[in-house]
Amino acid sequence: MPKKKFSLAQYKERRKFKRTPEPKGKKARKKPDEPIFVIQEHHASRIHWDLRLEIKGVLVSWAIPKGPSLNPAIRRIAIMTEDHPIEYAGFEGVIPKGMYGAGPVMVWDTGTFENKNIRNKKPVPLHQGLEDGYLEFFLHGTKLQGSFVLIKPNFEDGQKEWLLIKRKDKYASKKRKPVNTQKKSALTGRTMARIRREG
Ligand code: MN
């Protein structure tokens, strides 16, 4: 299968930085001790949650129409989108009308994560996991904790559909639905309505 390129070219191509408050994204940072993740609730033409994991100096991104679930029996579709700059993890605000992804964006959850992908007793690097179509990681967020897997079930050309599944651990739950019950920003405590108003 084709190797994934880590690049902000598509991100930059899609945006007019004079008109959108989103970060330009200059720097790809060096390998950190603890990579970061962010989940942004995004009320664009359709509501979705964008999961972004720091891999190779960028935020590798998936759009999850229904958001993450804590129930290991539930598979959530996650569509891979363009890589975003690291600074995007701190972006909360309103993308103006007419711009790509127009609508308010909330930092719903953020924190660090650990790569838990192990094969033949050896850790599999994140970029290798992307190529294999299998990532396993432990989130240390404010709303989400515990292990998740992202699996790419279909390797046909151009296929961007992955599945996000909660692993069985003490953080799994069939009852808790944080996407529906924890509706405030992890960054500013604001509601989506307030972000929409204040920008
Ligand atoms: Mn989005």
Side-chain angles (χ1 to χ4, degrees):
M1 74 212 64
K3 274 201 171 186
K4 173 168 167 53
K5 295 185 190 98
F6 297 87
S7 164
L8 297 176
Q10 194 174 35
Y11 175 86
K12 289 180 180 175
E13 209 175 273
R14 286 179 164 171
R15 289 170 177 80
K16 295 188 175 75
F17 293 104
K18 282 187 179 153
R19 293 182 56 200
T20 179
E22 294 165 286
K24 268 188 205 153
K26 302 156 232 161
K27 42 192 176 187
R29 68 173 184 156
K30 285 191 194 136
K31 196 167 182 249
D33 295 337
E34 291 194 315
I36 57 165
F37 84 95
V38 65
I39 298 175
Q40 280 151 323
E41 185 173 339
H42 185 186
H43 291 203
S45 49
R46 287 183 187 172
I47 294 177
H48 60 274
W49 284 258
D50 290 298
L51 166 65
R52 311 188 197 281
L53 300 174
E54 179 179 9
I55 303 176
K56 290 267 182 189
V58 297
L59 294 173
V60 177
S61 300
W62 292 262
I64 307 170
K66 292 184 173 178
S69 169
L70 298 183
N71 183 345
I74 289 179
R75 301 163 166 225
R76 287 284 157 88
I77 288 171
I79 313 292
M80 190 177 256
T81 59
E82 77 272 24
D83 295 340
H84 279 51
I86 294 295
E87 300 95 308
Y88 210 91
F91 174 70
E92 181 171 281
V94 179
I95 302 172
K97 264 187 195 164
M99 296 290 103
Y100 181 74
V105 175
M106 173 199 284
V107 175
W108 183 77
D109 199 12
T110 188
T112 61
F113 73 95
E114 291 174 67
N115 180 12
K116 294 283 187 188
N117 193 356
I118 288 173
R119 198 171 51 213
N120 302 327
K121 294 182 182 169
K122 283 184 194 152
V124 180
L126 291 162
H127 59 91
Q128 181 64 50
L130 279 176
E131 280 176 38
D132 299 343
Y134 184 87
L135 294 172
E136 185 168 347
F137 49 92
F138 190 104
L139 297 181
H140 299 279
T142 61
K143 296 187 176 81
L144 298 187
Q145 289 87 30
S147 287
F148 288 80
V149 294
L150 266 169
I151 297 171
K152 189 179 186 183
N154 182 341
F155 278 100
E156 274 168 44
D157 262 4
Q159 184 55 248
K160 292 184 181 298
E161 195 173 299
W162 293 59
L163 297 169
L164 178 70
I165 308 164
K166 180 75 194 74
R167 269 254 187 233
K168 285 181 188 162
D169 60 18
K170 67 173 181 176
Y171 304 101
S173 171
K174 288 183 180 167
K175 286 190 189 138
R176 271 186 66 211
K177 295 190 168 70
V179 157
N180 302 330
T181 58
Q182 295 178 268
K183 302 292 286 176
K184 286 182 179 171
S185 164
L187 202 64
T188 62
R190 295 187 295 171
T191 61
M192 207 47 142
R194 208 173 134 201
I195 293 167
R196 197 184 276 277
R197 244 187 354 257
E198 296 175 348

